[in-house]
Amino acid sequence: MSAQNFYITTAISYVNGLPHLGHAYEAILTDVMARFQRLDGQNVMFLTGTDEHGEKVHKTAEKNGMSAQEFADLNAAGFQKMAGTLNISNDDFIRTTEPRHYEAARAIWQKLQDKGDIYLDKYEGWYSVREEGYFTEDELTKDPETGHMMTPNGTEAEWVEEPSYFFKLSEYTDKLLAFYDDHPEFIQPVARRNEIISFVKGGLRDLSVSRDKKRLSWGIPVPGDDDHVMYVWLDALTNYITAAGYPDVDCERFQSFWPADYHVIGKDIIRFHAVYWPAFLMSAGIDLPRTIFAHGFINVQGVKMSKSLGNVLSPDGLVETYGLDAIRYLLMREIPHGQDGNFSHDHAVQRINADLANGLGNLSQRTLSMIYKNCDAILPSGEGMNNEDKALLNKVYSDLQGPMREHFRAFEFHKGLEVIMSASRMADAYIDANAPWKLKKDDPERMKVVLYTLAEIIRCLAISMLPVTPEAAGKILDQLDIKSDERYLVHVGTDHALKAGVPIEKPEGVFPRIVEKEEERQKAAS
Ligand code: MSP
């Protein structure tokens, strides 16, 4: 099978603050898919970045006594650092303040205008700066205490009146509904699809797509009218095509990677991605992305993260407490496809210790140590396998090539990981049943076959874990002397099975156990 091009993006984060667990979750989720697709032989382009214009960034910069650009530079560096800390394998990092993006955003505006979809009028209505979004009165509720108008997401909306350019979104209602109908995979998961279809069926109003420069100057100037800057969402959404080379639609990158396979975003911004973005693209005559995948939100100990509650978890702190691969695993294992998740310290420790330290880590450490000690540090031969050994190996190969692969392809990492862990538990049961430490005296030839079978299972499990725990899985494969061009999903199978006679290094544990002092545990849980 020849490699297919695969383009995947995260949302680009606002630079009004530093990254937190929610941003980390989205980055890791997308990274796991990007790494999985590479593992499965595809040619991947993975984009992440920062959304730097708009009123929210402008106002927060002012509060911090900085220019918007200085403030954006500072926080964009924080997001770039997070990508490094979390071992995110992005191929590009886009900032919407870069010249390449100004060019693309102004070019798409021009296309919409040439199509006759943009007109100048006056906007009178509600706007939430926190969400950078427009709301109709019937979507809002009045807070009885403050009298403020609040959006369904609980942010405050303010009344705005200003001259504004509009995009004829209302003319796209039927086209969008027809598109959703023809492309059932476009919005995932299905609950989000239903939500969007019912919103669009309610009828769409034209969308204000510029801000008056007198009120907000931090944005990309509207082509041909310096009194306006572009609405931050039209600017921001365009990042996905900027990075593919737009406006040069004939360039190799655009031809190879657009339309994107996945835009991975949080459920709070589905409307912008599944309604506005496809309408802009239809107007500009550009193909639509294949899938908008909306993940859920992460709460901490059952409560929404917020600065005022002081429960905002930083990616740096999490990595320090649990270890990078452990936190990556935990988030992917615990949060089901598209649903909200909860982060709790006790549960994290339990899961990491059970699945990684005592599970896969212990399996590989025990096996490799026995080979190191009992087989002169040389991988024994698997010749003479009995039917039970063969059946176990075949079951592992087919579980990983079948259900695990299918789950990963569908963004069901929690289920894919369960397949891997269940294979690891089967291998544990096999060790207990065959007791290779006893065979050492009684039947050393049989011991070798058992250890070979286990090492071969570990090789396949480690390959499968590469997208989620790249460093630890890579170390296991190093210990087995597996070369980098033999670390693909296609190598999970008998044709690429371990060769006897390979020397192995003294094994070192790759998934440390989290041991806590009682007082630390209580502090973290409180
Ligand atoms: N700038 C916009 C996105 C523009 S995309 C063209 C934005 N930025 S954000 O910084 O507020 O959010 C970035 C991403 O992080 C979004 O997909 C958002 O849903 C996600 N998350 C923010 N908090 C989150 C949680 N607590 N949990 C999970 N994801 C969350 O929106």
Side-chain angles (χ1 to χ4, degrees), residues 10-14 16 20-23 25-26 51 56 79 233 236-237 239-240 264-269 273 295-299 305:
T10 63
I12 49 172
S13 302
Y14 288 126
N16 62 314
H20 55 62
L21 171 62
H23 299 113
Y25 170 63
E26 182 172 301
D51 183 357
K56 169 155 138 165
F79 279 92
W233 270 102
L237 288 160
N239 90 86
Y240 302 131
V264 179
I265 57 162
K267 63 178 185 180
D268 57 327
I269 54 173
H273 283 80
H295 60 74
F297 258 50
I298 305 199
N299 298 321
M305 264 189 293

mmCIF file of all heavy atoms in Angstrom, residues 10-14 16 20-23 25-26 51 56 79 233 236-237 239-240 264-269 273 295-299 305, ligand 1:
data_model
loop_
_atom_site.group_PDB
_atom_site.id
_atom_site.type_symbol
_atom_site.label_atom_id
_atom_site.label_comp_id
_atom_site.label_asym_id
_atom_site.label_seq_id
_atom_site.Cartn_x
_atom_site.Cartn_y
_atom_site.Cartn_z
ATOM 1 N N THR A 10 -4.528 21.026 15.306
ATOM 2 C CA THR A 10 -5.225 21.356 16.553
ATOM 3 C C THR A 10 -5.896 22.700 16.321
ATOM 4 O O THR A 10 -5.640 23.359 15.310
ATOM 5 C CB THR A 10 -4.237 21.564 17.725
ATOM 6 O OG1 THR A 10 -3.405 22.694 17.412
ATOM 7 C CG2 THR A 10 -3.371 20.349 17.969
ATOM 8 N N ALA A 11 -6.713 23.141 17.282
ATOM 9 C CA ALA A 11 -7.137 24.547 17.260
ATOM 10 C C ALA A 11 -5.886 25.371 17.539
ATOM 11 O O ALA A 11 -4.904 24.859 18.081
ATOM 12 C CB ALA A 11 -8.167 24.793 18.346
ATOM 13 N N ILE A 12 -5.910 26.644 17.153
ATOM 14 C CA ILE A 12 -4.782 27.489 17.559
ATOM 15 C C ILE A 12 -5.220 28.255 18.799
ATOM 16 O O ILE A 12 -6.327 28.786 18.862
ATOM 17 C CB ILE A 12 -4.308 28.410 16.415
ATOM 18 C CG1 ILE A 12 -5.466 29.148 15.748
ATOM 19 C CG2 ILE A 12 -3.535 27.594 15.383
ATOM 20 C CD1 ILE A 12 -5.018 30.213 14.750
ATOM 21 N N SER A 13 -4.344 28.295 19.797
ATOM 22 C CA SER A 13 -4.746 28.797 21.114
ATOM 23 C C SER A 13 -4.605 30.306 21.217
ATOM 24 O O SER A 13 -3.662 30.887 20.680
ATOM 25 C CB SER A 13 -3.877 28.157 22.182
ATOM 26 O OG SER A 13 -4.019 26.761 22.105
ATOM 27 N N TYR A 14 -5.514 30.905 21.946
ATOM 28 C CA TYR A 14 -5.396 32.334 22.225
ATOM 29 C C TYR A 14 -4.173 32.561 23.087
ATOM 30 O O TYR A 14 -3.896 31.768 24.005
ATOM 31 C CB TYR A 14 -6.622 32.829 22.995
ATOM 32 C CG TYR A 14 -7.871 32.903 22.166
ATOM 33 C CD1 TYR A 14 -9.031 32.258 22.570
ATOM 34 C CD2 TYR A 14 -7.906 33.654 20.998
ATOM 35 C CE1 TYR A 14 -10.194 32.335 21.823
ATOM 36 C CE2 TYR A 14 -9.071 33.732 20.239
ATOM 37 C CZ TYR A 14 -10.210 33.069 20.659
ATOM 38 O OH TYR A 14 -11.346 33.146 19.924
ATOM 39 N N ASN A 16 -3.837 34.877 25.304
ATOM 40 C CA ASN A 16 -4.154 35.771 26.426
ATOM 41 C C ASN A 16 -3.693 35.185 27.761
ATOM 42 O O ASN A 16 -3.922 35.757 28.805
ATOM 43 C CB ASN A 16 -5.651 36.072 26.475
ATOM 44 C CG ASN A 16 -6.454 34.830 26.685
ATOM 45 O OD1 ASN A 16 -6.197 33.842 26.018
ATOM 46 N ND2 ASN A 16 -7.392 34.835 27.610
ATOM 47 N N HIS A 20 -2.688 25.450 29.677
ATOM 48 C CA HIS A 20 -3.090 24.645 30.835
ATOM 49 C C HIS A 20 -3.418 23.220 30.376
ATOM 50 O O HIS A 20 -3.276 22.887 29.190
ATOM 51 C CB HIS A 20 -4.260 25.285 31.584
ATOM 52 C CG HIS A 20 -5.466 25.573 30.729
ATOM 53 N ND1 HIS A 20 -6.175 24.587 30.090
ATOM 54 C CD2 HIS A 20 -6.094 26.738 30.405
ATOM 55 C CE1 HIS A 20 -7.179 25.107 29.423
ATOM 56 N NE2 HIS A 20 -7.155 26.423 29.585
ATOM 57 N N LEU A 21 -3.902 22.417 31.324
ATOM 58 C CA LEU A 21 -4.196 21.012 31.032
ATOM 59 C C LEU A 21 -5.108 20.828 29.812
ATOM 60 O O LEU A 21 -4.926 19.883 29.038
ATOM 61 C CB LEU A 21 -4.833 20.369 32.278
ATOM 62 C CG LEU A 21 -5.409 18.972 32.126
ATOM 63 C CD1 LEU A 21 -4.344 17.962 31.741
ATOM 64 C CD2 LEU A 21 -6.089 18.533 33.438
ATOM 65 N N GLY A 22 -6.103 21.716 29.627
ATOM 66 C CA GLY A 22 -7.011 21.597 28.480
ATOM 67 C C GLY A 22 -6.258 21.688 27.161
ATOM 68 O O GLY A 22 -6.471 20.897 26.234
ATOM 69 N N HIS A 23 -5.348 22.655 27.079
ATOM 70 C CA HIS A 23 -4.547 22.790 25.852
ATOM 71 C C HIS A 23 -3.639 21.571 25.681
ATOM 72 O O HIS A 23 -3.434 21.077 24.575
ATOM 73 C CB HIS A 23 -3.666 24.044 25.916
ATOM 74 C CG HIS A 23 -4.439 25.321 26.049
ATOM 75 N ND1 HIS A 23 -4.399 26.103 27.184
ATOM 76 C CD2 HIS A 23 -5.285 25.937 25.205
ATOM 77 C CE1 HIS A 23 -5.174 27.156 27.023
ATOM 78 N NE2 HIS A 23 -5.744 27.077 25.827
ATOM 79 N N TYR A 25 -4.156 18.557 26.732
ATOM 80 C CA TYR A 25 -4.956 17.408 26.307
ATOM 81 C C TYR A 25 -5.170 17.435 24.796
ATOM 82 O O TYR A 25 -4.968 16.416 24.112
ATOM 83 C CB TYR A 25 -6.306 17.417 27.047
ATOM 84 C CG TYR A 25 -7.279 16.405 26.506
ATOM 85 C CD1 TYR A 25 -6.993 15.037 26.579
ATOM 86 C CD2 TYR A 25 -8.466 16.805 25.904
ATOM 87 C CE1 TYR A 25 -7.872 14.103 26.066
ATOM 88 C CE2 TYR A 25 -9.359 15.873 25.392
ATOM 89 C CZ TYR A 25 -9.061 14.525 25.469
ATOM 90 O OH TYR A 25 -9.918 13.603 24.947
ATOM 91 N N GLU A 26 -5.563 18.587 24.275
ATOM 92 C CA GLU A 26 -5.816 18.667 22.827
ATOM 93 C C GLU A 26 -4.542 18.407 22.023
ATOM 94 O O GLU A 26 -4.564 17.692 21.006
ATOM 95 C CB GLU A 26 -6.385 20.041 22.486
ATOM 96 C CG GLU A 26 -6.725 20.180 21.012
ATOM 97 C CD GLU A 26 -7.468 21.471 20.731
ATOM 98 O OE1 GLU A 26 -8.552 21.681 21.303
ATOM 99 O OE2 GLU A 26 -6.949 22.284 19.941
ATOM 100 N N ASP A 51 -3.342 31.793 18.110
ATOM 101 C CA ASP A 51 -4.331 32.724 17.576
ATOM 102 C C ASP A 51 -4.092 34.036 18.322
ATOM 103 O O ASP A 51 -4.370 34.115 19.518
ATOM 104 C CB ASP A 51 -5.715 32.129 17.913
ATOM 105 C CG ASP A 51 -6.868 32.938 17.368
ATOM 106 O OD1 ASP A 51 -6.623 34.002 16.765
ATOM 107 O OD2 ASP A 51 -8.019 32.496 17.561
ATOM 108 N N LYS A 56 -9.870 40.021 22.886
ATOM 109 C CA LYS A 56 -9.502 39.360 24.135
ATOM 110 C C LYS A 56 -8.005 39.510 24.407
ATOM 111 O O LYS A 56 -7.596 39.884 25.504
ATOM 112 C CB LYS A 56 -9.902 37.889 23.963
ATOM 113 C CG LYS A 56 -9.422 36.938 24.962
ATOM 114 C CD LYS A 56 -10.384 35.784 24.977
ATOM 115 C CE LYS A 56 -9.755 34.445 25.058
ATOM 116 N NZ LYS A 56 -10.771 33.442 25.434
ATOM 117 N N PHE A 79 3.403 28.563 24.519
ATOM 118 C CA PHE A 79 2.762 27.451 23.798
ATOM 119 C C PHE A 79 3.789 26.644 23.006
ATOM 120 O O PHE A 79 3.680 25.416 22.910
ATOM 121 C CB PHE A 79 1.639 27.973 22.890
ATOM 122 C CG PHE A 79 0.368 28.231 23.645
ATOM 123 C CD1 PHE A 79 0.094 29.481 24.178
ATOM 124 C CD2 PHE A 79 -0.532 27.208 23.887
ATOM 125 C CE1 PHE A 79 -1.056 29.708 24.919
ATOM 126 C CE2 PHE A 79 -1.691 27.421 24.621
ATOM 127 C CZ PHE A 79 -1.958 28.682 25.143
ATOM 128 N N TRP A 233 -12.153 35.457 14.098
ATOM 129 C CA TRP A 233 -12.388 34.060 13.722
ATOM 130 C C TRP A 233 -12.163 33.804 12.227
ATOM 131 O O TRP A 233 -11.696 32.729 11.848
ATOM 132 C CB TRP A 233 -13.791 33.603 14.132
ATOM 133 C CG TRP A 233 -13.783 33.034 15.523
ATOM 134 C CD1 TRP A 233 -14.200 33.649 16.672
ATOM 135 C CD2 TRP A 233 -13.313 31.727 15.910
ATOM 136 N NE1 TRP A 233 -14.021 32.812 17.745
ATOM 137 C CE2 TRP A 233 -13.483 31.641 17.314
ATOM 138 C CE3 TRP A 233 -12.762 30.651 15.222
ATOM 139 C CZ2 TRP A 233 -13.130 30.493 18.029
ATOM 140 C CZ3 TRP A 233 -12.414 29.517 15.935
ATOM 141 C CH2 TRP A 233 -12.595 29.441 17.326
ATOM 142 N N ALA A 236 -8.476 33.651 12.144
ATOM 143 C CA ALA A 236 -7.905 32.459 12.795
ATOM 144 C C ALA A 236 -8.166 31.179 12.003
ATOM 145 O O ALA A 236 -7.266 30.350 11.831
ATOM 146 C CB ALA A 236 -8.477 32.325 14.198
ATOM 147 N N LEU A 237 -9.389 31.004 11.522
ATOM 148 C CA LEU A 237 -9.720 29.753 10.812
ATOM 149 C C LEU A 237 -8.843 29.573 9.574
ATOM 150 O O LEU A 237 -8.479 28.447 9.202
ATOM 151 C CB LEU A 237 -11.204 29.745 10.426
ATOM 152 C CG LEU A 237 -12.165 29.560 11.609
ATOM 153 C CD1 LEU A 237 -13.576 30.033 11.265
ATOM 154 C CD2 LEU A 237 -12.195 28.083 12.050
ATOM 155 N N ASN A 239 -5.877 29.988 9.281
ATOM 156 C CA ASN A 239 -4.531 29.444 9.561
ATOM 157 C C ASN A 239 -4.331 28.062 8.953
ATOM 158 O O ASN A 239 -3.236 27.691 8.564
ATOM 159 C CB ASN A 239 -4.278 29.402 11.078
ATOM 160 C CG ASN A 239 -4.704 28.092 11.717
ATOM 161 O OD1 ASN A 239 -3.950 27.120 11.744
ATOM 162 N ND2 ASN A 239 -5.941 28.033 12.198
ATOM 163 N N TYR A 240 -5.437 27.299 8.895
ATOM 164 C CA TYR A 240 -5.315 25.912 8.426
ATOM 165 C C TYR A 240 -4.885 25.846 6.951
ATOM 166 O O TYR A 240 -4.233 24.877 6.552
ATOM 167 C CB TYR A 240 -6.649 25.183 8.601
ATOM 168 C CG TYR A 240 -7.171 25.155 10.029
ATOM 169 C CD1 TYR A 240 -8.496 25.518 10.321
ATOM 170 C CD2 TYR A 240 -6.363 24.750 11.086
ATOM 171 C CE1 TYR A 240 -8.997 25.477 11.617
ATOM 172 C CE2 TYR A 240 -6.848 24.707 12.384
ATOM 173 C CZ TYR A 240 -8.167 25.076 12.646
ATOM 174 O OH TYR A 240 -8.639 25.037 13.931
ATOM 175 N N VAL A 264 -8.888 19.027 14.848
ATOM 176 C CA VAL A 264 -9.212 18.573 16.206
ATOM 177 C C VAL A 264 -9.416 19.813 17.074
ATOM 178 O O VAL A 264 -8.518 20.662 17.174
ATOM 179 C CB VAL A 264 -8.074 17.706 16.779
ATOM 180 C CG1 VAL A 264 -8.411 17.251 18.198
ATOM 181 C CG2 VAL A 264 -7.815 16.506 15.874
ATOM 182 N N ILE A 265 -10.592 19.902 17.678
ATOM 183 C CA ILE A 265 -10.939 21.111 18.440
ATOM 184 C C ILE A 265 -11.750 20.710 19.670
ATOM 185 O O ILE A 265 -12.211 19.577 19.777
ATOM 186 C CB ILE A 265 -11.825 22.048 17.584
ATOM 187 C CG1 ILE A 265 -13.086 21.298 17.115
ATOM 188 C CG2 ILE A 265 -11.056 22.610 16.407
ATOM 189 C CD1 ILE A 265 -14.188 22.188 16.654
ATOM 190 N N GLY A 266 -11.977 21.672 20.562
ATOM 191 C CA GLY A 266 -12.843 21.418 21.707
ATOM 192 C C GLY A 266 -14.300 21.688 21.345
ATOM 193 O O GLY A 266 -14.584 22.434 20.403
ATOM 194 N N LYS A 267 -15.196 21.099 22.114
ATOM 195 C CA LYS A 267 -16.623 21.190 21.776
ATOM 196 C C LYS A 267 -17.161 22.622 21.845
ATOM 197 O O LYS A 267 -18.181 22.933 21.249
ATOM 198 C CB LYS A 267 -17.434 20.280 22.701
ATOM 199 C CG LYS A 267 -17.356 20.692 24.162
ATOM 200 C CD LYS A 267 -18.213 19.806 25.045
ATOM 201 C CE LYS A 267 -18.186 20.331 26.470
ATOM 202 N NZ LYS A 267 -18.976 19.550 27.398
ATOM 203 N N ASP A 268 -16.449 23.512 22.576
ATOM 204 C CA ASP A 268 -16.926 24.899 22.698
ATOM 205 C C ASP A 268 -16.789 25.683 21.400
ATOM 206 O O ASP A 268 -17.422 26.724 21.258
ATOM 207 C CB ASP A 268 -16.152 25.626 23.827
ATOM 208 C CG ASP A 268 -14.632 25.604 23.617
ATOM 209 O OD1 ASP A 268 -14.125 24.612 23.063
ATOM 210 O OD2 ASP A 268 -13.970 26.575 24.017
ATOM 211 N N ILE A 269 -15.957 25.215 20.462
ATOM 212 C CA ILE A 269 -15.757 26.023 19.256
ATOM 213 C C ILE A 269 -16.205 25.285 17.992
ATOM 214 O O ILE A 269 -15.726 25.541 16.902
ATOM 215 C CB ILE A 269 -14.290 26.516 19.144
ATOM 216 C CG1 ILE A 269 -13.281 25.360 19.230
ATOM 217 C CG2 ILE A 269 -13.985 27.521 20.244
ATOM 218 C CD1 ILE A 269 -11.844 25.787 18.960
ATOM 219 N N HIS A 273 -16.169 26.083 13.541
ATOM 220 C CA HIS A 273 -15.515 25.156 12.609
ATOM 221 C C HIS A 273 -16.475 24.426 11.689
ATOM 222 O O HIS A 273 -16.110 24.054 10.581
ATOM 223 C CB HIS A 273 -14.695 24.116 13.389
ATOM 224 C CG HIS A 273 -13.405 24.672 13.885
ATOM 225 N ND1 HIS A 273 -13.312 25.440 15.012
ATOM 226 C CD2 HIS A 273 -12.136 24.608 13.380
ATOM 227 C CE1 HIS A 273 -12.051 25.810 15.195
ATOM 228 N NE2 HIS A 273 -11.320 25.310 14.222
ATOM 229 N N HIS A 295 -13.479 17.254 20.704
ATOM 230 C CA HIS A 295 -13.283 16.509 21.956
ATOM 231 C C HIS A 295 -14.027 17.211 23.089
ATOM 232 O O HIS A 295 -14.496 18.343 22.934
ATOM 233 C CB HIS A 295 -11.794 16.378 22.263
ATOM 234 C CG HIS A 295 -11.077 17.691 22.422
ATOM 235 N ND1 HIS A 295 -11.226 18.485 23.530
ATOM 236 C CD2 HIS A 295 -10.226 18.353 21.593
ATOM 237 C CE1 HIS A 295 -10.480 19.569 23.386
ATOM 238 N NE2 HIS A 295 -9.872 19.518 22.211
ATOM 239 N N GLY A 296 -14.082 16.529 24.221
ATOM 240 C CA GLY A 296 -14.774 17.103 25.370
ATOM 241 C C GLY A 296 -13.862 17.999 26.194
ATOM 242 O O GLY A 296 -12.732 18.291 25.805
ATOM 243 N N PHE A 297 -14.365 18.413 27.322
ATOM 244 C CA PHE A 297 -13.600 19.287 28.218
ATOM 245 C C PHE A 297 -13.071 18.502 29.408
ATOM 246 O O PHE A 297 -13.713 17.553 29.865
ATOM 247 C CB PHE A 297 -14.498 20.432 28.700
ATOM 248 C CG PHE A 297 -14.189 21.702 27.957
ATOM 249 C CD1 PHE A 297 -14.130 21.693 26.583
ATOM 250 C CD2 PHE A 297 -13.918 22.877 28.640
ATOM 251 C CE1 PHE A 297 -13.805 22.840 25.871
ATOM 252 C CE2 PHE A 297 -13.592 24.034 27.948
ATOM 253 C CZ PHE A 297 -13.537 24.023 26.573
ATOM 254 N N ILE A 298 -11.935 18.932 29.931
ATOM 255 C CA ILE A 298 -11.396 18.268 31.112
ATOM 256 C C ILE A 298 -11.676 19.097 32.343
ATOM 257 O O ILE A 298 -11.382 20.306 32.369
ATOM 258 C CB ILE A 298 -9.879 18.111 31.044
ATOM 259 C CG1 ILE A 298 -9.492 17.390 29.783
ATOM 260 C CG2 ILE A 298 -9.372 17.347 32.262
ATOM 261 C CD1 ILE A 298 -8.120 16.816 29.864
ATOM 262 N N ASN A 299 -12.229 18.451 33.330
ATOM 263 C CA ASN A 299 -12.420 19.088 34.632
ATOM 264 C C ASN A 299 -11.381 18.534 35.595
ATOM 265 O O ASN A 299 -10.802 17.468 35.362
ATOM 266 C CB ASN A 299 -13.814 18.787 35.162
ATOM 267 C CG ASN A 299 -14.869 19.354 34.224
ATOM 268 O OD1 ASN A 299 -14.699 20.445 33.694
ATOM 269 N ND2 ASN A 299 -15.933 18.605 34.009
ATOM 270 N N MET A 305 -11.972 23.902 35.362
ATOM 271 C CA MET A 305 -10.752 24.645 35.726
ATOM 272 C C MET A 305 -11.010 26.134 35.604
ATOM 273 O O MET A 305 -11.589 26.581 34.621
ATOM 274 C CB MET A 305 -9.649 24.310 34.713
ATOM 275 C CG MET A 305 -8.726 23.225 35.147
ATOM 276 S SD MET A 305 -7.337 23.089 34.024
ATOM 277 C CE MET A 305 -8.098 22.523 32.544
HETATM 278 N N1 MSP B 1 -8.344 30.619 19.476
HETATM 279 C C1 MSP B 1 -9.484 29.770 19.526
HETATM 280 C C2 MSP B 1 -9.389 28.660 18.502
HETATM 281 C C3 MSP B 1 -9.182 29.122 17.082
HETATM 282 S S1 MSP B 1 -9.021 27.762 15.998
HETATM 283 C C4 MSP B 1 -9.022 28.458 14.487
HETATM 284 C C5 MSP B 1 -9.607 29.161 20.925
HETATM 285 N N2 MSP B 1 -8.508 29.201 21.688
HETATM 286 S S2 MSP B 1 -8.423 28.657 23.201
HETATM 287 O O1 MSP B 1 -7.088 28.927 23.636
HETATM 288 O O2 MSP B 1 -9.489 29.189 23.976
HETATM 289 O O3 MSP B 1 -8.662 27.113 23.119
HETATM 290 C C6 MSP B 1 -7.794 26.294 22.348
HETATM 291 C C7 MSP B 1 -8.306 24.861 22.355
HETATM 292 O O4 MSP B 1 -8.213 24.334 23.687
HETATM 293 C C8 MSP B 1 -9.786 24.764 21.948
HETATM 294 O O5 MSP B 1 -9.992 23.670 21.081
HETATM 295 C C9 MSP B 1 -10.483 24.548 23.261
HETATM 296 O O6 MSP B 1 -11.675 23.827 23.146
HETATM 297 C C10 MSP B 1 -9.441 23.739 24.020
HETATM 298 N N3 MSP B 1 -9.645 23.796 25.467
HETATM 299 C C11 MSP B 1 -9.580 24.890 26.291
HETATM 300 N N4 MSP B 1 -9.891 24.498 27.558
HETATM 301 C C12 MSP B 1 -10.158 23.165 27.596
HETATM 302 C C13 MSP B 1 -10.433 22.209 28.599
HETATM 303 N N5 MSP B 1 -10.587 22.529 29.873
HETATM 304 N N6 MSP B 1 -10.509 20.903 28.229
HETATM 305 C C14 MSP B 1 -10.279 20.498 26.935
HETATM 306 N N7 MSP B 1 -10.020 21.376 25.978
HETATM 307 C C15 MSP B 1 -10.095 22.723 26.240
HETATM 308 O O7 MSP B 1 -10.669 28.668 21.245
#
